[in-house]
């Protein structure tokens, strides 16, 4: 049976690939993003996930039209690169507001409809950066750690209403994420941080540009949409990055931190 699915960040990357795949499988897909995009089978709605009033209006209108919302995929996101010390208040607000508060806004607006019917699925796109603190991507990591904690708590609060919560933790994928990253000018200009930041950014951008294709992640999300009992965590990454997640779990904290420092030459 086709489900009613809402996906944020559907104008590009994972969101676009997922929206297209789910629509081709017969689901009714609503794509939310700031840019309005056209795609025959997807209904696009303009929405900045940071703005709760707009989010609520959009979700209320979808629920009014469809009568229910079965699946919410919180995917909208962006990255800010730079030294933690040199970030501006605006940069921190944009990073946390888009990635974390955006996810919370969509959940707050959609849960009343799911709870009323005692069913639903929430799929939150985190990152491997939400499982380990990445140097010079610190606020990005913090926003994804926040999504991890939020999702674990939400799982425990809404399980008894028949609502599942899953976290998808991608490694590096080739999307517009790399080109959209905002890099801190203060860090670039700083004699202490600048050269090291540039070196770590080169490593990250190379990995992203040579990363997996977003269709692969879309397939995992489609499997979660179909699953009777979805898991809580789905790490989707190449072998090396899956290994890093395993090492983070089993090594003493200091030993793992030293490996990260040496990998990113920080
Ligand atoms: P992308 O191609 O840049 O897509 C990002 C999407 O988010 C766009 O559709 C963008 O649409 C939307 N977006 C950004 N800010 C928004 C806002 N304020 N309100 C509404 N929509 C907003 O990047 P992607 O790689 O597909 O990223 C999707 C998610 O995957 C993000 O949460 C990212 O952190 C996560 N992720 C990516 C990677 C990777 O390697 N690519 C790895 C791990 C996790 P508009 O600009 O039109 O609003």
């Amino acid at each position: 049976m086709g489900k009613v699915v809402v996906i944020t960040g559907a104008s590009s990357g994972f969101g676009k690939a997922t929206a297209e795949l789910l629509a081709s499988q017969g689901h009714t897909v609503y794509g939310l993003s700031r840019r309005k995009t056209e795609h025959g089978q997807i209904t696009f709605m303009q929405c900045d996930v940071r703005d709760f009033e707009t989010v609520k209006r959009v979700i209320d209108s979808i629920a009014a039209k469809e009568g229910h919302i079965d699946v919410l995929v919180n995917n909208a996101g962006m990255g800010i690169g730079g030294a933690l010390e040199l970030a501006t208040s605006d940069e921190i607000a944009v990073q946390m507001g888009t990635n974390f508060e955006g996810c919370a806004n969509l959940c707050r607006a959609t849960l009343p409809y799911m709870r009323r019917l005692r069913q639903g699925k929430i799929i939150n796109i985190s990152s491997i950066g939400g499982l380990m603190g990445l140097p010079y991507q610190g606020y990005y990591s913090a926003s994804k750690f926040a999504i991890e904690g939020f999702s674990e708590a939400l799982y425990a609060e809404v399980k008894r209403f028949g609502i599942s919560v899953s976290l998808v933790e991608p490694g590096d994928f080739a999307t517009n994420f790399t080109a959209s990253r905002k890099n801190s000018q203060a860090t670039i200009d700083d004699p202490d941080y600048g050269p090291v930041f540039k070196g770590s950014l080169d490593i990250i951008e190379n990995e992203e540009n040579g990363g997996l294709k977003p269709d692969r992640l879309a397939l995992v999300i489609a499997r979660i949409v179909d699953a009777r009992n979805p898991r809580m965590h789905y790490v989707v990454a190449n072998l090396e990055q899956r290994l890093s997640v395993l090492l983070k779990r089993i090594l003493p904290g200091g030993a793992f931190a030293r490996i990260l420092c040496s990998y990113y030459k920080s």
Side-chain angles (χ1 to χ4, degrees):
M1 272 258 293
K3 295 183 170 136
V4 176
V5 183
V6 173
I7 306 180
T8 65
S11 61
S12 171
F14 295 156
K16 185 165 187 274
T18 305
E20 286 173 358
L21 178 62
L22 292 177
S24 76
Q25 293 176 341
H27 298 292
T28 302
V29 180
Y30 287 85
L32 276 49
S33 49
R34 291 165 303 176
R35 280 169 292 173
K36 201 154 167 57
T37 322
E38 293 302 328
H39 187 288
Q41 293 172 290
I42 300 159
T43 306
F44 274 97
M45 303 185 78
Q46 255 175 322
C47 177
D48 185 332
V49 296
R50 294 178 64 194
D51 176 1
F52 181 68
E53 292 312 313
T54 308
V55 167
K56 189 166 166 8
R57 186 168 35 76
V58 166
I59 292 295
D60 287 349
S61 73
I62 296 171
K65 179 153 185 254
E66 301 294 341
H68 56 108
I69 295 172
D70 301 307
V71 181
L72 167 64
V73 184
N74 275 307
N75 163 75
M78 51 82 66
I80 290 182
L84 290 162
E85 179 191 333
L86 300 180
T88 64
S89 298
D90 277 354
E91 286 168 343
I92 298 170
V94 168
Q95 183 67 93
M96 300 306 285
T98 307
N99 293 12
F100 170 59
E101 203 180 336
C103 167
N105 285 345
L106 265 296
C107 289
R108 291 193 294 140
T110 309
L111 275 166
Y113 297 105
M114 293 184 167
R115 200 153 50 84
R116 196 169 301 156
L117 294 182
R118 294 300 199 247
Q119 60 102 24
K121 247 176 215 169
I122 294 178
I123 302 168
N124 291 336
I125 309 303
S126 173
S127 167
I128 283 189
L131 302 174
M132 56 190 76
L134 303 176
Y136 297 100
Q137 312 295 319
Y139 289 102
Y140 177 73
S141 270
S143 72
K144 296 297 188 179
F145 269 75
I147 288 179
E148 294 275 333
F150 174 90
S151 304
E152 286 179 13
L154 186 63
Y155 175 96
E157 289 183 17
V158 300
K159 187 176 181 302
R160 69 195 176 95
F161 304 128
I163 302 167
S164 69
V165 179
S166 295
L167 280 154
V168 177
E169 290 123 347
D172 288 320
F173 279 76
T175 66
N176 285 331
F177 185 83
T178 310
S180 301
R181 180 181 284 114
K182 296 193 189 332
N183 293 314
S184 144
Q185 195 56 46
T187 306
I188 294 166
D189 294 342
D190 187 87
D192 280 339
Y193 287 122
V196 188
F197 172 49
K198 172 86 179 57
S200 79
L201 198 59
D202 284 347
I203 295 169
I204 288 172
E205 288 186 346
N206 270 338
E207 285 177 345
E208 288 168 353
N209 289 329
L212 303 170
K213 295 219 163 58
D215 302 9
R216 169 125 172 229
L217 198 91
L219 283 172
V220 173
I221 296 173
R223 276 214 311 274
I224 303 174
V225 169
D226 283 343
R228 193 182 290 267
N229 292 307
R231 298 202 314 257
M232 189 160 188
H233 293 274
Y234 293 81
V235 175
V236 189
N238 65 28
L239 182 62
E240 196 182 33
Q241 291 177 336
R242 278 185 280 133
L243 194 62
S244 72
V245 173
L246 180 67
L247 286 179
K248 169 83 201 274
R249 280 191 201 128
I250 59 177
L251 286 179
F256 185 77
R258 282 191 291 280
I259 293 175
L260 264 192
C261 284
S262 116
Y263 186 77
Y264 288 108
K265 301 187 180 21
S266 65

